[in-house]
């Protein structure tokens, strides 16, 4: 097709994309210096919708806050705007506050003497319909299905019409008052008083009311966002819900706790199907629990769930109603002689995410990010070191319970990069290409590159063991900054189509773009 022998020359393999230059975009709920953070305001969940035009956050106070993108609204769908796609995609992404509502309230289970907090564990967007937004939110026990819709505001006018424009109302009122039968007394007589009152509170003038003026409800052009709970899915989990995930069929979703995964229909709230149950007959034989679960993005019959032992199981709903047997198991064998007291704790997977095309699964354990190919169960295709420098401090992390922190992970829409959070409000972005050396460290602040470490990817051989120990210590990072284990960036989300990340630092929502 190209002529000559040029068509026989094999194309050179593409190199890794250049590292992204991240810039600060926006912050919502920024704290002033020395301001105390209220526990109920701490963000506990973040989720973009499929279009990337809406963002939802949940907090420990049971509230859900919605944001909408504004920099796209001024562009229509005509040809000239479509021709400017390259220009508009490089514009500064901007979101604005849309609305918020109270999703969950604190409850008390009297049968188990258990207090159920209102904290939002997960939020998942559902398919939009008729201009309304739909989403699922869950706390430890109860899932709710919300509809958020703009409704026109109805206002009450003063009166229906002017008295001069009323025709016949006065005569009707007068005749109805005068022609009414006089009230009879209990002994058969009747009152001599004119019939001017119905009760002590409502008095009519003699001759009736000249004109009846009623208030009128008028629909104005102003709109108001209304959030309405459509369904409540309750009483299906004995243990705390750690995951919810929508199915690509748009009709069903799963919810997972420590020992079971249930399948729900969005329209049916009073029953669910238990599809995974890892509870042993004797609880003393329990060796692992479910930590996260997610549906495949395009195959409605496939889902994956992770365990506290560091394994991921892929199950196929077509095989059986109760999926006790997995179709694939993704597990990495530990190196011989490396086992310690903390091995099982740090191997526990806190979060898994499917790539947008469904080919890869990203998992996050305490120390690393791992990228798995669903067609290759022998081991991960890539492993990214996140907390290797904390290995000498595992004992201290165990003492202050930081070792049990559950960090989330996310992938870019094109699948070329992954991201996850760390301590001191830091988060890291890695390139997925086999030849990529991209490993960017950013801080959730208005200057994200402030903590950027300009260091070689491999430490020089001449470094002394003391220097290496200091650089890898749990309280000092590679740039000499002290680590703060009380400030942790657990929750973040990547925009589905652009290089934009939203992350939560306590009660503040930071947004970055590249």
């Amino acid at each position: 097709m190209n002529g000559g022998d040029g068509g026989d020359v094999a194309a050179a393999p593409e190199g890794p994309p250049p590292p992204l230059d991240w810039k600060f975009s926006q912050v919502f709920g920024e704290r002033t210096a020395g301001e105390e953070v209220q526990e109920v305001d701490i963000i506990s969940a973040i989720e973009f919708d499929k279009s990337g035009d809406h963002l939802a956050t949940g907090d420990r106070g049971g509230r859900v806050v919605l944001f909408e993108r504004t920099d796209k609204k001024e562009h229509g769908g005509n040809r000239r705007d479509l021709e400017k796609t390259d220009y508009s995609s490089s514009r500064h992404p901007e979101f604005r506050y849309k609305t918020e509502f109270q999703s969950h309230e604190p409850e008390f289970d009297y049968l188990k003497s258990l207090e159920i907090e209102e904290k939002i564990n997960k939020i998942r967007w559902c398919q939009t319909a008729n201009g309304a937004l739909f989403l699922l939110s869950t706390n430890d026990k109860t899932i709710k299905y919300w509809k958020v819709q703009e409704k026109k505001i109805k206002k009450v006018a003063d009166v229906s019409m002017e008295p001069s424009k009323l025709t016949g109302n006065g005569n009707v009122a007068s005749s109805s008052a005068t022609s009414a039968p006089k009230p009879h007394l209990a002994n058969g007589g009747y009152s001599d008083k004119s019939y001017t009152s119905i009760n002590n509170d409502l008095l009519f003038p003699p001759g009736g009311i000249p004109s009846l003026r009623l208030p009128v409800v008028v629909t104005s052009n102003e709109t108001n966002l209304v959030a309405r709970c459509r369904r409540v899915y309750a009483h299906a989990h004995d243990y705390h819900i750690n995951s919810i995930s929508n199915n690509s069929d748009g009709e069903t979703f799963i919810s997972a706790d420590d020992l079971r995964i249930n399948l729900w229909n969005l329209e049916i709230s009073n029953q669910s199907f238990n599809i995974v149950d890892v509870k042993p007959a004797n609880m003393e034989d329990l060796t692992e629990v479910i930590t996260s679960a997610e549906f495949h993005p395009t195959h409605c019959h496939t889902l994956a769930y992770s365990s506290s032992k560091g394994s991921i199981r892929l199950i196929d709903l077509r095989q059986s109603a109760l999926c006790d047997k997995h179709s694939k198991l993704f597990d990495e064998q530990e190196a011989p002689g490396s086992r310690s007291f903390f091995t099982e704790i740090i191997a526990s997977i806190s979060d898994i995410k499917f790539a947008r095309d469904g080919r890869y699964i990203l998992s996050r354990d305490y120390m690393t990010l791992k990228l798995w190919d669903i067609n290759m169960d022998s081991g991960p295709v890539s492993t990214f070191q996140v907390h290797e420098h904390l290995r000498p401090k595992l004992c201290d992390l165990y003492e202050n319970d930081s070792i049990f922190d559950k960090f989330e992970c996310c992938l870019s829409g094109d699948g070329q990069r992954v991201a996850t959070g760390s301590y001191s409000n830091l988060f890291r972005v890695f390139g997925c290409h086999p030849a990529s050396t991209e490993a960017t460290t950013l801080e959730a602040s208005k200057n994200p590159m402030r903590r950027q470490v300009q260091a070689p990817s491999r430490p020089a051989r001449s470094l002394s063991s003391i220097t290496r120990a200091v650089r890898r210590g749990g309280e000092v990072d590679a740039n000499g900054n002290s680590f703060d284990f009380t400030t942790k960036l657990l929750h973040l989300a990547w925009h589905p189509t652009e290089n934009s990340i939203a992350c939560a630092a306590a009660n503040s929502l930071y947004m970055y773009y590249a």
Side-chain angles (χ1 to χ4, degrees):
M1 193 169 179
N2 295 328
D5 56 357
D8 298 328
V9 178
E14 290 185 13
L20 296 176
D21 180 23
W22 291 95
K23 300 180 181 68
F24 169 77
S25 174
Q26 286 173 285
V27 59
F28 295 95
E30 185 182 20
R31 301 191 307 276
T32 57
E35 181 186 351
E36 270 192 42
V37 180
Q38 299 296 321
E39 178 82 11
V40 293
D41 294 332
I42 295 176
I43 297 173
S44 56
I46 301 179
E47 186 79 4
F48 280 105
D49 71 346
K50 282 188 176 180
S51 68
D53 292 338
H54 292 92
L55 174 69
T57 65
D59 62 25
R60 294 188 183 180
R63 295 181 297 263
V64 172
V65 184
L66 304 185
F67 302 87
E68 66 176 349
R69 188 161 183 174
T70 57
D71 59 312
K72 280 187 173 181
K73 283 204 163 186
E74 59 201 54
H75 296 284
N78 58 39
R79 177 169 179 161
R80 181 175 295 179
D81 293 327
L82 294 174
E83 287 172 352
K84 292 182 179 179
T85 302
D86 292 340
Y87 167 72
S88 62
S89 64
S90 63
R91 297 188 66 211
H92 188 291
E94 291 180 358
F95 282 78
R96 72 177 180 190
Y97 169 85
K98 187 177 178 75
T99 188
E100 68 178 270
F101 56 90
Q102 188 72 34
S103 173
H104 288 73
E105 300 278 359
E107 300 174 47
F108 191 81
D109 187 335
Y110 293 97
L111 291 176
K112 297 180 179 178
S113 295
L114 183 69
E115 192 174 346
I116 304 169
E117 356 175 64
E118 65 270 36
K119 179 188 132 193
I120 305 295
N121 291 342
K122 294 288 178 183
I123 296 174
R124 289 292 180 266
W125 289 92
C126 303
Q127 292 181 352
T128 59
N130 301 323
L133 302 173
F134 294 87
L135 50 91
L136 289 166
S137 63
T138 184
N139 64 352
D140 286 338
K141 295 290 183 181
T142 306
I143 307 159
K144 294 186 179 181
Y145 184 43
W146 290 92
K147 178 182 181 180
V148 182
Q149 187 178 30
E150 283 190 350
K151 290 196 173 181
K152 288 189 175 180
I153 299 175
K154 293 183 178 180
K155 295 183 177 179
V156 177
D158 290 339
V159 291
S160 56
M161 295 178 70
E162 295 296 328
S164 60
K165 296 180 181 178
L166 292 169
T167 56
N169 282 352
N171 295 332
V172 172
S174 176
S175 63
S176 62
T178 55
S179 63
K182 293 182 179 181
H184 292 274
L185 298 177
N187 59 3
Y190 62 89
S191 172
D192 290 331
K193 298 178 182 178
S194 62
Y195 182 37
T196 58
S197 65
I198 295 175
N199 55 41
N200 294 331
D201 299 325
L202 183 61
L203 298 175
F204 286 95
I209 302 173
S211 63
L212 184 63
R213 306 175 71 182
L214 297 174
V216 176
V217 177
V218 178
T219 303
S220 68
N221 291 326
E222 297 178 34
T223 58
N224 186 27
L225 278 165
V226 178
R228 189 165 64 90
C229 185
R230 292 279 309 276
R231 301 274 188 281
V232 177
Y233 313 92
H235 312 301
H237 288 278
D238 291 330
Y239 304 92
H240 290 179
I241 298 171
N242 55 48
S243 303
I244 52 175
S245 179
N246 313 65
N247 197 343
S248 58
D249 63 9
E251 297 180 357
T252 56
F253 70 94
I254 55 168
S255 59
D257 63 20
D258 291 342
L259 298 179
R260 293 185 178 95
I261 299 176
N262 293 333
L263 178 68
W264 300 83
N265 188 297
L266 281 169
E267 299 302 319
I268 302 171
S269 60
N270 59 359
Q271 67 176 5
S272 63
F273 296 98
N274 179 230
I275 54 175
V276 175
D277 189 349
V278 299
K279 184 178 180 180
N282 185 355
M283 285 296 283
E284 292 181 1
D285 298 330
L286 183 68
T287 58
E288 63 181 333
V289 296
I290 298 167
T291 56
S292 182
E294 183 161 285
F295 258 121
H296 191 282
T298 55
H299 297 165
C300 61
H301 52 77
T302 303
L303 62 97
Y305 70 91
S306 59
S307 81
S308 57
K309 278 194 169 181
S311 60
I312 301 171
R313 290 172 173 84
L314 203 66
I315 61 175
D316 192 333
L317 297 175
R318 298 171 299 182
Q319 290 182 343
S320 64
L322 185 60
C323 303
D324 286 338
K325 294 182 179 178
H326 52 266
S327 57
K328 282 190 179 177
L329 174 66
F330 303 95
D331 197 4
E332 187 175 30
Q333 299 300 320
E334 63 187 52
S338 63
R339 188 169 184 81
S340 70
F341 173 77
F342 304 108
T343 300
E344 283 196 13
I345 301 174
I346 62 176
S348 177
I349 295 175
S350 56
D351 190 27
I352 60 170
K353 292 284 194 315
F354 270 101
R356 199 174 185 189
D357 60 2
R359 173 70 185 272
Y360 296 96
I361 299 174
L362 180 67
S363 67
R364 172 70 153 99
D365 57 44
Y366 189 73
M367 305 298 283
T368 64
L369 271 175
K370 290 175 182 172
L371 191 66
W372 306 80
D373 186 334
I374 64 171
N375 296 327
M376 190 182 82
D377 52 8
S378 57
V381 293
S382 298
T383 300
F384 308 99
Q385 300 296 336
V386 182
H387 281 165
E388 186 61 32
H389 56 276
L390 297 180
R391 196 172 288 276
K393 306 293 289 183
L394 288 179
C395 193
D396 296 337
L397 294 165
Y398 179 77
E399 289 292 329
N400 62 22
D401 285 342
S402 294
I403 200 169
F404 301 106
D405 289 334
K406 299 186 187 317
F407 292 92
E408 291 180 2
C409 58
C410 58
L411 298 97
S412 61
D414 57 13
Q416 293 188 348
R417 293 173 179 86
V418 296
T420 191
S422 182
Y423 294 104
S424 300
N425 284 341
L426 301 178
F427 65 99
R428 306 201 67 192
V429 180
F430 299 94
C432 293
H433 192 281
S436 175
T437 58
E438 182 176 359
T440 309
T441 303
L442 302 135
E443 182 183 36
S445 67
K446 288 187 175 180
N447 182 12
M449 307 299 282
R450 184 166 71 91
R451 299 263 189 130
Q452 179 61 33
V453 180
Q454 301 296 337
S457 57
R458 292 183 178 85
R461 295 282 184 184
S462 59
L463 285 176
S464 68
S465 58
I466 296 175
T467 309
R468 282 200 297 271
V470 170
R471 288 184 61 172
R472 293 173 56 188
E475 297 173 356
V476 180
D477 67 8
N479 210 28
N481 297 313
S482 61
F483 266 107
D484 181 5
F485 296 117
T486 61
T487 56
K488 55 196 80 168
L489 199 150
L490 301 175
H491 312 285
L492 76 172
W494 201 303
H495 191 281
T497 58
E498 299 177 13
N499 286 321
S500 177
I501 291 179
C503 55
N507 66 327
S508 303
L509 177 67
Y510 286 90
M511 307 195 72
Y512 304 93
Y513 71 100

